[in-house]
Amino acid sequence: MSELFDNYERQYCEASASLACKCTDAAALQGGEKLKQRAAEIKAGIDAAEALIRKMDLEARNLQPSVRAGILAKLPEYKLDLNNFKGALKRISNGNALHGSIEEDLESGLADTLEVSADQKSRLRGRIERQNQTTDRLRDSQRIMRETEDRGVSILHDLHQQREYLLIGHNKLDTIDNNLVKSRRIIGAMVRRMDRDRWIISLIITLLVLAILVILYFKFVN
């Protein structure tokens, strides 16, 4: 069903219930300015309710055929309801001379209206309860979404900090790796230098030994 039609129907049910109460109040008045004021209020309420019926009719005709027939079937009931209010308004507008007629109207035709209104109010209460439940669920969903969003923002903030820590650690590892490369180069150069020095020392020792042998040879031969 159309959400817009439901909105119009809810407004009409509220208007119908308000009109029924005003007509009941008007039946208890004894004429004068209060009765005229009440009649003007009922007239304005009837005009507003009639406008809502036209809106419901237009909205229903724009719906799919599968749901249009069921919705349009409600409108005659609402129009009959409104005609009863119009009849009550005519009697109210005539003043106290037809006060008894107003009471008879309330007891006969308007009684049907009040019965319809009671049924409408019952349906309205059911719809309001369902709407309140839906609203509560939506609020819970929004609250959960806000909490989830807050947790997501917190997690993203933590991940951002961890990323910064990782970047700092990565930079430190790069620095350490560069230092290790330099250290390996220095150690390699030192090892090569030590090998060279060892060969030089070995050569010097060999030359000294040979020199000593040569000296001893010439000493003992002579």
Side-chain angles (χ1 to χ4, degrees):
M1 187 176 292
S2 170
E3 182 178 353
L4 185 58
F5 183 90
D6 288 342
N7 185 37
Y8 291 150
E9 188 177 26
R10 186 184 73 254
Q11 293 180 36
Y12 178 80
C13 289
E14 293 173 352
S16 177
S18 177
L19 284 171
C21 293
K22 290 177 181 179
C23 288
T24 303
D25 292 342
L29 296 176
Q30 299 298 324
E33 293 298 327
K34 289 185 178 180
L35 184 60
K36 291 181 180 180
Q37 182 180 359
R38 183 63 68 186
E41 293 176 357
I42 294 173
K43 176 65 168 60
I46 290 175
D47 292 340
E50 196 167 19
L52 288 170
I53 290 178
R54 288 196 298 269
K55 289 180 180 179
M56 283 191 286
D57 184 65
L58 290 174
E59 178 63 20
R61 296 183 187 280
N62 292 327
L63 298 177
Q64 297 179 354
S66 58
V67 297
R68 183 190 306 163
I71 293 177
L72 288 176
K74 297 181 179 181
L75 297 183
E77 175 185 331
Y78 295 148
K79 291 177 181 179
L80 177 61
D81 180 25
L82 193 61
N83 287 332
N84 290 331
F85 285 125
K86 288 180 179 179
L89 176 61
K90 289 180 180 179
R91 292 171 176 80
I92 291 171
S93 299
N94 290 330
N96 289 332
L98 296 179
H99 182 68
S101 298
I102 297 174
E103 293 179 347
E104 293 174 0
D105 193 20
L106 289 172
E107 292 175 356
S108 56
L110 189 55
D112 296 335
T113 299
L114 294 175
E115 183 179 354
V116 172
S117 298
D119 182 62
Q120 291 172 350
K121 286 191 288 185
S122 177
R123 292 199 302 268
L124 178 62
R125 282 195 296 269
R127 289 181 180 176
I128 290 176
E129 289 177 358
R130 290 193 295 272
Q131 288 179 353
N132 289 336
Q133 292 175 357
T134 303
T135 301
D136 292 339
R137 288 195 295 269
L138 288 174
R139 288 176 179 172
D140 291 339
S141 299
Q142 290 175 351
R143 178 180 55 81
I144 294 172
M145 288 178 63
R146 285 195 297 268
E147 292 176 354
T148 304
E149 183 179 0
D150 292 339
R151 287 197 295 269
V153 171
S154 178
I155 291 172
L156 288 176
H157 180 69
D158 293 339
L159 290 175
H160 180 70
Q161 288 183 338
Q162 293 177 4
R163 180 176 178 273
E164 291 181 350
Y165 293 152
L166 289 174
L167 288 175
I168 293 173
H170 182 71
N171 293 332
K172 289 182 178 179
L173 288 175
D174 288 340
T175 302
I176 293 173
D177 186 63
N178 293 332
N179 292 333
L180 288 174
V181 172
K182 291 180 181 179
S183 299
R184 284 196 296 269
R185 290 177 181 175
I186 293 172
I187 292 173
M190 292 176 64
V191 170
R192 288 192 298 271
R193 185 176 297 174
M194 290 175 64
D195 291 339
R196 185 185 63 187
D197 293 343
R198 187 165 53 249
W199 280 105
I200 292 173
I201 293 172
S202 299
L203 179 60
I204 292 173
I205 292 173
T206 301
L207 292 175
L208 288 174
V209 170
L210 289 175
I212 292 171
L213 291 175
V214 170
I215 292 172
L216 292 174
Y217 174 78
F218 284 107
K219 182 178 180 180
F220 287 107
V221 169
N222 294 332

